[in-house]
Amino acid sequence: MGPLMPSKTKYRRILLKLSGEALMGPGEYGLDDAAVDRITDQIVAVHRLGVEVCLVVGAGNIFRGLSGTASGIERASADYMGMLATVINALALQSVLESKDVVTRVLSAIPMETVCEPYIRRRAIRHMEKDRIVIFGAGTGNPFFTTDTAAALRASEMGCDALLKATQVDGVYSADPKSDKAAVRFDELTFHEVLSRDLKVMDASAIALARENNIPILVFSIHNEGALEEVVTGNGRFTIIREGSKGGG
Ligand code: UDP
């Protein structure tokens, strides 16, 4: 038996996936102080509710493997560059979170022992049990993957009750709502629907992994104030992706 469910929340342990873009704010590159400040406030608020929190962070604000290949860098090397960039974001989040009086650990899938801890599954779980926020860096540690897949993998390994995917919009749409006015928003979807309709939420390997391990994915906008807390308490606006109730999902 794990610890008791914190009273106000629906989840005991969550994994929050933050894209690099979320940390970039209105800028075009790197980290935006105000965006990082707002996001870390939300993480601290949820942690104060008694939820165990771990994070997977992307690197789209610094470097993406595919853009590297466009400049002639070999794909695997470009992907390693992307993974290293996630560690930069992880260290930034760690510092800002710790300035807000929470204890954190960065665990990297690529060992960098002078910078942070290597990823060890049981150690990561132990950190969360001790009330530390765990930040997973370097994705899965393998090229040809994304941090979305890393998020589904770590959520599975950590036995998380939910994977929260922070995006720029308030859920999953049938098309990009920023460019297509006819885009329809979904409150609820099954994993099967996401895959068969090729909805652009997370890549297919991430969806398949979450489905196999029965971890619901909640897609929401991190830009709305208090959004994370609302999602964790079962309120607010989000799209939930889970197994279909009739067994068809
Ligand atoms: N990456 C990788 N393996 C992983 C995770 C990430 O090779 O397991 C690389 C890949 O090149 C990717 C980059 O790291 O483009 C940054 O991650 P991602 O694009 O997922 O970041 P996000 O879009 O979430 O900001």
Side-chain angles (χ1 to χ4, degrees):
M1 270 294 278
L4 292 176
M5 190 79 75
S7 57
K8 274 165 64 185
T9 69
K10 284 178 75 84
Y11 307 106
R12 182 181 51 88
R13 179 179 292 163
I14 60 159
L15 184 142
L16 172 66
K17 162 69 209 296
L18 288 171
S19 65
E21 212 182 349
L23 306 176
M24 197 165 70
E28 277 172 21
Y29 182 82
L31 295 154
D32 176 66
D33 293 349
V36 174
D37 185 48
R38 278 198 310 272
I39 290 171
T40 49
D41 272 352
Q42 296 196 38
I43 296 168
V44 170
V46 163
H47 185 252
R48 292 226 165 95
L49 292 176
V51 182
E52 293 180 7
V53 181
C54 53
L55 312 172
V56 165
V57 60
N61 58 326
I62 302 175
F63 192 84
R64 276 210 177 92
L66 279 179
S67 24
T69 56
S71 11
I73 302 169
E74 184 200 352
R75 172 70 192 264
S77 296
D79 280 342
Y80 280 117
M81 292 167 71
M83 287 186 267
L84 296 180
T86 69
V87 179
I88 295 177
N89 284 334
L91 293 177
L93 283 171
Q94 171 170 52
S95 288
V96 179
L97 281 168
E98 294 206 334
S99 74
K100 300 180 182 187
D101 287 334
V102 287
V103 182
T104 69
R105 291 289 186 271
V106 173
L107 272 61
S108 171
I110 298 173
M112 303 183 199
E113 60 192 19
T114 51
V115 176
C116 57
E117 293 182 11
Y119 172 69
I120 297 171
R121 187 182 72 87
R122 292 171 66 110
R123 189 185 276 185
I125 291 173
R126 192 78 191 109
H127 285 319
M128 282 189 282
E129 287 170 352
K130 287 186 173 170
D131 243 11
R132 298 169 183 150
I133 296 177
V134 172
I135 309 165
F136 295 115
T140 65
N142 301 295
F144 304 102
F145 286 91
T146 64
T147 52
D148 278 353
T149 303
L153 174 65
R154 295 293 184 241
S156 304
E157 291 182 278
M158 295 300 114
C160 290
D161 307 308
L163 193 175
L164 276 61
K165 158 104 175 154
T167 64
Q168 311 300 314
V169 290
D170 60 353
V172 180
Y173 287 77
S174 57
D176 184 351
K178 289 189 172 146
S179 53
D180 187 345
K181 288 218 156 29
V184 178
R185 183 183 172 281
F186 302 101
D187 276 332
E188 221 178 308
L189 286 163
T190 64
F191 293 114
H192 177 75
E193 283 167 337
V194 173
L195 291 172
S196 62
R197 299 174 71 156
D198 198 21
L199 296 171
K200 304 279 176 265
V201 192
M202 296 179 107
D203 48 81
S205 50
I207 301 288
L209 207 50
R211 176 187 189 170
E212 213 163 287
N213 294 293
N214 205 12
I215 299 172
I217 301 174
L218 287 81
V219 182
F220 70 105
S221 169
I222 192 82
H223 299 302
N224 301 339
E225 211 182 311
L228 182 60
E229 195 170 339
E230 284 182 357
V231 172
V232 166
T233 51
N235 306 304
R237 252 171 104 70
F238 56 85
T239 298
I240 184 161
I241 305 165
R242 58 185 164 199
E243 207 56 62
S245 51
K246 296 187 190 84

mmCIF file of all heavy atoms in Angstrom, residues 175-215:
data_model
loop_
_atom_site.group_PDB
_atom_site.id
_atom_site.type_symbol
_atom_site.label_atom_id
_atom_site.label_comp_id
_atom_site.label_asym_id
_atom_site.label_seq_id
_atom_site.Cartn_x
_atom_site.Cartn_y
_atom_site.Cartn_z
ATOM 1 N N ALA A 175 -7.907 19.996 -34.842
ATOM 2 C CA ALA A 175 -6.868 20.614 -35.682
ATOM 3 C C ALA A 175 -6.256 21.734 -34.842
ATOM 4 O O ALA A 175 -6.747 22.007 -33.741
ATOM 5 C CB ALA A 175 -7.482 21.166 -36.960
ATOM 6 N N ASP A 176 -5.216 22.368 -35.330
ATOM 7 C CA ASP A 176 -4.591 23.435 -34.544
ATOM 8 C C ASP A 176 -5.545 24.630 -34.414
ATOM 9 O O ASP A 176 -5.841 25.309 -35.405
ATOM 10 C CB ASP A 176 -3.283 23.868 -35.236
ATOM 11 C CG ASP A 176 -2.539 24.909 -34.405
ATOM 12 O OD1 ASP A 176 -3.104 25.405 -33.408
ATOM 13 O OD2 ASP A 176 -1.389 25.226 -34.766
ATOM 14 N N PRO A 177 -6.041 24.909 -33.203
ATOM 15 C CA PRO A 177 -7.040 25.977 -33.051
ATOM 16 C C PRO A 177 -6.475 27.366 -33.358
ATOM 17 O O PRO A 177 -7.232 28.308 -33.593
ATOM 18 C CB PRO A 177 -7.447 25.871 -31.577
ATOM 19 C CG PRO A 177 -6.318 25.169 -30.903
ATOM 20 C CD PRO A 177 -5.704 24.279 -31.925
ATOM 21 N N LYS A 178 -5.147 27.483 -33.379
ATOM 22 C CA LYS A 178 -4.551 28.796 -33.684
ATOM 23 C C LYS A 178 -4.624 29.104 -35.169
ATOM 24 O O LYS A 178 -4.658 30.260 -35.568
ATOM 25 C CB LYS A 178 -3.112 28.849 -33.181
ATOM 26 C CG LYS A 178 -3.099 28.906 -31.654
ATOM 27 C CD LYS A 178 -1.734 29.183 -31.083
ATOM 28 C CE LYS A 178 -1.870 29.406 -29.573
ATOM 29 N NZ LYS A 178 -0.715 28.918 -28.836
ATOM 30 N N SER A 179 -4.677 28.043 -35.998
ATOM 31 C CA SER A 179 -4.715 28.309 -37.437
ATOM 32 C C SER A 179 -6.024 27.868 -38.088
ATOM 33 O O SER A 179 -6.345 28.299 -39.198
ATOM 34 C CB SER A 179 -3.529 27.618 -38.125
ATOM 35 O OG SER A 179 -3.501 26.257 -37.769
ATOM 36 N N ASP A 180 -6.820 27.030 -37.408
ATOM 37 C CA ASP A 180 -8.046 26.502 -38.017
ATOM 38 C C ASP A 180 -9.249 26.828 -37.133
ATOM 39 O O ASP A 180 -9.418 26.267 -36.048
ATOM 40 C CB ASP A 180 -7.890 24.970 -38.176
ATOM 41 C CG ASP A 180 -9.051 24.360 -38.948
ATOM 42 O OD1 ASP A 180 -10.086 25.036 -39.108
ATOM 43 O OD2 ASP A 180 -8.911 23.198 -39.378
ATOM 44 N N LYS A 181 -10.096 27.742 -37.630
ATOM 45 C CA LYS A 181 -11.239 28.208 -36.822
ATOM 46 C C LYS A 181 -12.290 27.109 -36.622
ATOM 47 O O LYS A 181 -13.108 27.160 -35.698
ATOM 48 C CB LYS A 181 -11.886 29.433 -37.488
ATOM 49 C CG LYS A 181 -11.034 30.688 -37.378
ATOM 50 C CD LYS A 181 -11.878 31.929 -37.142
ATOM 51 C CE LYS A 181 -11.119 33.068 -36.472
ATOM 52 N NZ LYS A 181 -9.689 33.131 -36.716
ATOM 53 N N ALA A 182 -12.282 26.102 -37.486
ATOM 54 C CA ALA A 182 -13.270 25.025 -37.395
ATOM 55 C C ALA A 182 -12.820 23.914 -36.443
ATOM 56 O O ALA A 182 -13.536 22.918 -36.267
ATOM 57 C CB ALA A 182 -13.517 24.451 -38.779
ATOM 58 N N ALA A 183 -11.677 24.097 -35.810
ATOM 59 C CA ALA A 183 -11.154 23.045 -34.931
ATOM 60 C C ALA A 183 -12.111 22.799 -33.758
ATOM 61 O O ALA A 183 -12.632 23.739 -33.162
ATOM 62 C CB ALA A 183 -9.776 23.449 -34.420
ATOM 63 N N VAL A 184 -12.353 21.533 -33.454
ATOM 64 C CA VAL A 184 -13.273 21.150 -32.376
ATOM 65 C C VAL A 184 -12.443 20.688 -31.172
ATOM 66 O O VAL A 184 -11.461 19.963 -31.327
ATOM 67 C CB VAL A 184 -14.170 19.979 -32.846
ATOM 68 C CG1 VAL A 184 -15.110 19.528 -31.722
ATOM 69 C CG2 VAL A 184 -14.945 20.366 -34.078
ATOM 70 N N ARG A 185 -12.862 21.107 -29.978
ATOM 71 C CA ARG A 185 -12.145 20.714 -28.764
ATOM 72 C C ARG A 185 -12.812 19.482 -28.134
ATOM 73 O O ARG A 185 -14.028 19.364 -28.124
ATOM 74 C CB ARG A 185 -12.155 21.868 -27.768
ATOM 75 C CG ARG A 185 -11.376 21.611 -26.508
ATOM 76 C CD ARG A 185 -11.486 22.774 -25.533
ATOM 77 N NE ARG A 185 -10.887 22.400 -24.269
ATOM 78 C CZ ARG A 185 -11.485 21.643 -23.356
ATOM 79 N NH1 ARG A 185 -12.709 21.198 -23.569
ATOM 80 N NH2 ARG A 185 -10.860 21.332 -22.242
ATOM 81 N N PHE A 186 -12.007 18.576 -27.623
ATOM 82 C CA PHE A 186 -12.531 17.370 -26.979
ATOM 83 C C PHE A 186 -12.359 17.479 -25.461
ATOM 84 O O PHE A 186 -11.314 17.923 -24.996
ATOM 85 C CB PHE A 186 -11.752 16.133 -27.440
ATOM 86 C CG PHE A 186 -11.773 15.914 -28.926
ATOM 87 C CD1 PHE A 186 -10.696 16.278 -29.710
ATOM 88 C CD2 PHE A 186 -12.881 15.337 -29.539
ATOM 89 C CE1 PHE A 186 -10.694 16.079 -31.085
ATOM 90 C CE2 PHE A 186 -12.886 15.126 -30.917
ATOM 91 C CZ PHE A 186 -11.799 15.501 -31.687
ATOM 92 N N ASP A 187 -13.377 17.047 -24.722
ATOM 93 C CA ASP A 187 -13.244 16.965 -23.258
ATOM 94 C C ASP A 187 -12.590 15.648 -22.876
ATOM 95 O O ASP A 187 -11.882 15.553 -21.885
ATOM 96 C CB ASP A 187 -14.624 17.010 -22.584
ATOM 97 C CG ASP A 187 -15.095 18.435 -22.403
ATOM 98 O OD1 ASP A 187 -14.225 19.327 -22.277
ATOM 99 O OD2 ASP A 187 -16.324 18.652 -22.407
ATOM 100 N N GLU A 188 -12.912 14.641 -23.652
ATOM 101 C CA GLU A 188 -12.487 13.292 -23.314
ATOM 102 C C GLU A 188 -12.169 12.510 -24.580
ATOM 103 O O GLU A 188 -12.857 12.660 -25.585
ATOM 104 C CB GLU A 188 -13.677 12.618 -22.616
ATOM 105 C CG GLU A 188 -13.255 11.806 -21.446
ATOM 106 C CD GLU A 188 -14.441 11.179 -20.734
ATOM 107 O OE1 GLU A 188 -15.387 11.918 -20.399
ATOM 108 O OE2 GLU A 188 -14.398 9.960 -20.542
ATOM 109 N N LEU A 189 -11.152 11.703 -24.539
ATOM 110 C CA LEU A 189 -10.791 10.865 -25.689
ATOM 111 C C LEU A 189 -10.263 9.537 -25.162
ATOM 112 O O LEU A 189 -9.778 9.462 -24.026
ATOM 113 C CB LEU A 189 -9.668 11.530 -26.497
ATOM 114 C CG LEU A 189 -10.006 12.732 -27.373
ATOM 115 C CD1 LEU A 189 -8.732 13.492 -27.735
ATOM 116 C CD2 LEU A 189 -10.735 12.301 -28.638
ATOM 117 N N THR A 190 -10.331 8.518 -25.999
ATOM 118 C CA THR A 190 -9.652 7.271 -25.632
ATOM 119 C C THR A 190 -8.283 7.271 -26.315
ATOM 120 O O THR A 190 -8.055 7.995 -27.290
ATOM 121 C CB THR A 190 -10.445 6.032 -26.103
ATOM 122 O OG1 THR A 190 -10.488 6.054 -27.528
ATOM 123 C CG2 THR A 190 -11.851 6.013 -25.537
ATOM 124 N N PHE A 191 -7.393 6.433 -25.810
ATOM 125 C CA PHE A 191 -6.075 6.313 -26.439
ATOM 126 C C PHE A 191 -6.249 5.914 -27.904
ATOM 127 O O PHE A 191 -5.559 6.415 -28.786
ATOM 128 C CB PHE A 191 -5.237 5.254 -25.712
ATOM 129 C CG PHE A 191 -4.861 5.647 -24.310
ATOM 130 C CD1 PHE A 191 -5.351 4.954 -23.217
ATOM 131 C CD2 PHE A 191 -3.997 6.707 -24.087
ATOM 132 C CE1 PHE A 191 -4.985 5.316 -21.929
ATOM 133 C CE2 PHE A 191 -3.623 7.077 -22.798
ATOM 134 C CZ PHE A 191 -4.120 6.375 -21.718
ATOM 135 N N HIS A 192 -7.176 5.000 -28.111
ATOM 136 C CA HIS A 192 -7.423 4.506 -29.459
ATOM 137 C C HIS A 192 -7.824 5.646 -30.397
ATOM 138 O O HIS A 192 -7.334 5.734 -31.522
ATOM 139 C CB HIS A 192 -8.508 3.425 -29.413
ATOM 140 C CG HIS A 192 -8.871 2.911 -30.768
ATOM 141 N ND1 HIS A 192 -8.056 2.045 -31.468
ATOM 142 C CD2 HIS A 192 -9.933 3.162 -31.570
ATOM 143 C CE1 HIS A 192 -8.617 1.793 -32.633
ATOM 144 N NE2 HIS A 192 -9.752 2.453 -32.719
ATOM 145 N N GLU A 193 -8.706 6.518 -29.931
ATOM 146 C CA GLU A 193 -9.147 7.644 -30.771
ATOM 147 C C GLU A 193 -7.979 8.566 -31.125
ATOM 148 O O GLU A 193 -7.869 9.041 -32.253
ATOM 149 C CB GLU A 193 -10.239 8.449 -30.053
ATOM 150 C CG GLU A 193 -11.592 7.778 -30.096
ATOM 151 C CD GLU A 193 -12.602 8.401 -29.134
ATOM 152 O OE1 GLU A 193 -12.202 9.037 -28.145
ATOM 153 O OE2 GLU A 193 -13.805 8.223 -29.382
ATOM 154 N N VAL A 194 -7.125 8.805 -30.141
ATOM 155 C CA VAL A 194 -5.971 9.683 -30.402
ATOM 156 C C VAL A 194 -5.091 9.076 -31.490
ATOM 157 O O VAL A 194 -4.661 9.772 -32.418
ATOM 158 C CB VAL A 194 -5.152 9.917 -29.107
ATOM 159 C CG1 VAL A 194 -3.867 10.669 -29.406
ATOM 160 C CG2 VAL A 194 -5.992 10.672 -28.081
ATOM 161 N N LEU A 195 -4.870 7.772 -31.391
ATOM 162 C CA LEU A 195 -3.997 7.112 -32.370
ATOM 163 C C LEU A 195 -4.671 7.001 -33.733
ATOM 164 O O LEU A 195 -4.083 7.353 -34.752
ATOM 165 C CB LEU A 195 -3.592 5.726 -31.861
ATOM 166 C CG LEU A 195 -2.652 5.718 -30.639
ATOM 167 C CD1 LEU A 195 -2.469 4.305 -30.108
ATOM 168 C CD2 LEU A 195 -1.303 6.333 -30.981
ATOM 169 N N SER A 196 -5.934 6.554 -33.749
ATOM 170 C CA SER A 196 -6.569 6.295 -35.047
ATOM 171 C C SER A 196 -6.882 7.597 -35.783
ATOM 172 O O SER A 196 -6.858 7.643 -37.010
ATOM 173 C CB SER A 196 -7.819 5.433 -34.886
ATOM 174 O OG SER A 196 -8.753 6.119 -34.109
ATOM 175 N N ARG A 197 -7.165 8.683 -35.054
ATOM 176 C CA ARG A 197 -7.433 9.966 -35.727
ATOM 177 C C ARG A 197 -6.165 10.785 -35.903
ATOM 178 O O ARG A 197 -6.218 11.921 -36.360
ATOM 179 C CB ARG A 197 -8.464 10.761 -34.931
ATOM 180 C CG ARG A 197 -9.797 10.018 -34.831
ATOM 181 C CD ARG A 197 -10.769 10.733 -33.938
ATOM 182 N NE ARG A 197 -11.258 11.959 -34.542
ATOM 183 C CZ ARG A 197 -12.409 12.526 -34.221
ATOM 184 N NH1 ARG A 197 -13.185 11.980 -33.301
ATOM 185 N NH2 ARG A 197 -12.782 13.650 -34.791
ATOM 186 N N ASP A 198 -5.055 10.216 -35.446
ATOM 187 C CA ASP A 198 -3.752 10.873 -35.591
ATOM 188 C C ASP A 198 -3.782 12.288 -35.012
ATOM 189 O O ASP A 198 -3.276 13.241 -35.614
ATOM 190 C CB ASP A 198 -3.346 10.887 -37.084
ATOM 191 C CG ASP A 198 -1.849 11.137 -37.257
ATOM 192 O OD1 ASP A 198 -1.105 10.897 -36.282
ATOM 193 O OD2 ASP A 198 -1.442 11.598 -38.334
ATOM 194 N N LEU A 199 -4.398 12.423 -33.834
ATOM 195 C CA LEU A 199 -4.483 13.737 -33.191
ATOM 196 C C LEU A 199 -3.109 14.110 -32.652
ATOM 197 O O LEU A 199 -2.401 13.288 -32.080
ATOM 198 C CB LEU A 199 -5.529 13.697 -32.063
ATOM 199 C CG LEU A 199 -6.956 13.426 -32.528
ATOM 200 C CD1 LEU A 199 -7.876 13.186 -31.334
ATOM 201 C CD2 LEU A 199 -7.470 14.586 -33.377
ATOM 202 N N LYS A 200 -2.766 15.379 -32.855
ATOM 203 C CA LYS A 200 -1.405 15.806 -32.492
ATOM 204 C C LYS A 200 -1.344 16.208 -31.016
ATOM 205 O O LYS A 200 -1.429 17.371 -30.668
ATOM 206 C CB LYS A 200 -0.978 16.984 -33.380
ATOM 207 C CG LYS A 200 -1.054 16.661 -34.870
ATOM 208 C CD LYS A 200 0.173 15.885 -35.343
ATOM 209 C CE LYS A 200 0.089 15.463 -36.780
ATOM 210 N NZ LYS A 200 -0.419 14.104 -37.002
ATOM 211 N N VAL A 201 -1.221 15.230 -30.163
ATOM 212 C CA VAL A 201 -1.130 15.500 -28.726
ATOM 213 C C VAL A 201 0.273 15.202 -28.244
ATOM 214 O O VAL A 201 0.976 16.041 -27.688
ATOM 215 C CB VAL A 201 -2.077 14.583 -27.921
ATOM 216 C CG1 VAL A 201 -2.191 15.078 -26.501
ATOM 217 C CG2 VAL A 201 -3.410 14.424 -28.572
ATOM 218 N N MET A 202 0.640 13.957 -28.419
ATOM 219 C CA MET A 202 1.975 13.471 -28.075
ATOM 220 C C MET A 202 2.293 12.464 -29.167
ATOM 221 O O MET A 202 1.384 11.993 -29.852
ATOM 222 C CB MET A 202 1.946 12.746 -26.732
ATOM 223 C CG MET A 202 1.592 13.621 -25.549
ATOM 224 S SD MET A 202 1.567 12.666 -24.018
ATOM 225 C CE MET A 202 3.049 13.219 -23.231
ATOM 226 N N ASP A 203 3.548 12.089 -29.322
ATOM 227 C CA ASP A 203 3.821 11.144 -30.394
ATOM 228 C C ASP A 203 3.248 9.765 -30.059
ATOM 229 O O ASP A 203 2.938 9.464 -28.904
ATOM 230 C CB ASP A 203 5.308 11.090 -30.745
ATOM 231 C CG ASP A 203 6.148 10.962 -29.533
ATOM 232 O OD1 ASP A 203 6.294 9.844 -29.021
ATOM 233 O OD2 ASP A 203 6.631 12.008 -29.054
ATOM 234 N N ALA A 204 3.098 8.964 -31.105
ATOM 235 C CA ALA A 204 2.378 7.693 -30.965
ATOM 236 C C ALA A 204 3.033 6.769 -29.946
ATOM 237 O O ALA A 204 2.336 6.047 -29.217
ATOM 238 C CB ALA A 204 2.287 7.012 -32.326
ATOM 239 N N SER A 205 4.366 6.795 -29.846
ATOM 240 C CA SER A 205 4.999 5.884 -28.887
ATOM 241 C C SER A 205 4.656 6.281 -27.453
ATOM 242 O O SER A 205 4.492 5.419 -26.586
ATOM 243 C CB SER A 205 6.512 5.810 -29.114
ATOM 244 O OG SER A 205 7.059 7.085 -29.180
ATOM 245 N N ALA A 206 4.526 7.591 -27.205
ATOM 246 C CA ALA A 206 4.145 8.048 -25.861
ATOM 247 C C ALA A 206 2.712 7.599 -25.538
ATOM 248 O O ALA A 206 2.428 7.088 -24.443
ATOM 249 C CB ALA A 206 4.259 9.570 -25.766
ATOM 250 N N ILE A 207 1.818 7.772 -26.502
ATOM 251 C CA ILE A 207 0.414 7.388 -26.292
ATOM 252 C C ILE A 207 0.322 5.870 -26.058
ATOM 253 O O ILE A 207 -0.373 5.409 -25.145
ATOM 254 C CB ILE A 207 -0.451 7.777 -27.519
ATOM 255 C CG1 ILE A 207 -0.399 9.293 -27.779
ATOM 256 C CG2 ILE A 207 -1.891 7.283 -27.370
ATOM 257 C CD1 ILE A 207 -1.134 10.145 -26.787
ATOM 258 N N ALA A 208 1.058 5.112 -26.862
ATOM 259 C CA ALA A 208 1.006 3.650 -26.738
ATOM 260 C C ALA A 208 1.513 3.195 -25.365
ATOM 261 O O ALA A 208 0.931 2.303 -24.739
ATOM 262 C CB ALA A 208 1.825 3.011 -27.851
ATOM 263 N N LEU A 209 2.555 3.840 -24.900
ATOM 264 C CA LEU A 209 3.130 3.471 -23.604
ATOM 265 C C LEU A 209 2.162 3.800 -22.455
ATOM 266 O O LEU A 209 1.967 3.001 -21.535
ATOM 267 C CB LEU A 209 4.449 4.233 -23.434
ATOM 268 C CG LEU A 209 5.543 3.659 -22.576
ATOM 269 C CD1 LEU A 209 5.841 2.217 -22.946
ATOM 270 C CD2 LEU A 209 6.806 4.517 -22.749
ATOM 271 N N ALA A 210 1.556 4.973 -22.538
ATOM 272 C CA ALA A 210 0.593 5.371 -21.493
ATOM 273 C C ALA A 210 -0.605 4.420 -21.512
ATOM 274 O O ALA A 210 -1.124 4.017 -20.468
ATOM 275 C CB ALA A 210 0.139 6.810 -21.716
ATOM 276 N N ARG A 211 -1.016 4.045 -22.709
ATOM 277 C CA ARG A 211 -2.151 3.143 -22.850
ATOM 278 C C ARG A 211 -1.833 1.770 -22.247
ATOM 279 O O ARG A 211 -2.626 1.218 -21.476
ATOM 280 C CB ARG A 211 -2.477 2.987 -24.331
ATOM 281 C CG ARG A 211 -3.571 2.011 -24.618
ATOM 282 C CD ARG A 211 -3.695 1.811 -26.112
ATOM 283 N NE ARG A 211 -4.869 1.035 -26.417
ATOM 284 C CZ ARG A 211 -5.334 0.860 -27.643
ATOM 285 N NH1 ARG A 211 -4.738 1.415 -28.665
ATOM 286 N NH2 ARG A 211 -6.401 0.140 -27.856
ATOM 287 N N GLU A 212 -0.667 1.266 -22.589
ATOM 288 C CA GLU A 212 -0.274 -0.055 -22.099
ATOM 289 C C GLU A 212 -0.210 -0.083 -20.578
ATOM 290 O O GLU A 212 -0.510 -1.098 -19.943
ATOM 291 C CB GLU A 212 1.114 -0.366 -22.659
ATOM 292 C CG GLU A 212 1.374 -1.811 -22.947
ATOM 293 C CD GLU A 212 2.577 -1.914 -23.869
ATOM 294 O OE1 GLU A 212 2.447 -1.587 -25.065
ATOM 295 O OE2 GLU A 212 3.634 -2.281 -23.370
ATOM 296 N N ASN A 213 0.175 1.027 -19.984
ATOM 297 C CA ASN A 213 0.322 1.069 -18.531
ATOM 298 C C ASN A 213 -0.862 1.736 -17.845
ATOM 299 O O ASN A 213 -0.818 2.014 -16.638
ATOM 300 C CB ASN A 213 1.646 1.750 -18.174
ATOM 301 C CG ASN A 213 2.812 0.899 -18.647
ATOM 302 O OD1 ASN A 213 3.034 -0.186 -18.148
ATOM 303 N ND2 ASN A 213 3.508 1.374 -19.675
ATOM 304 N N ASN A 214 -1.898 2.015 -18.650
ATOM 305 C CA ASN A 214 -3.147 2.540 -18.109
ATOM 306 C C ASN A 214 -2.968 3.828 -17.305
ATOM 307 O O ASN A 214 -3.506 3.969 -16.203
ATOM 308 C CB ASN A 214 -3.809 1.448 -17.251
ATOM 309 C CG ASN A 214 -5.300 1.649 -17.168
ATOM 310 O OD1 ASN A 214 -5.854 2.466 -17.918
ATOM 311 N ND2 ASN A 214 -5.946 0.952 -16.245
ATOM 312 N N ILE A 215 -2.192 4.743 -17.852
ATOM 313 C CA ILE A 215 -1.975 6.035 -17.187
ATOM 314 C C ILE A 215 -2.730 7.118 -17.957
ATOM 315 O O ILE A 215 -2.423 7.370 -19.128
ATOM 316 C CB ILE A 215 -0.474 6.390 -17.138
ATOM 317 C CG1 ILE A 215 0.273 5.317 -16.348
ATOM 318 C CG2 ILE A 215 -0.260 7.777 -16.512
ATOM 319 C CD1 ILE A 215 1.765 5.454 -16.382
#
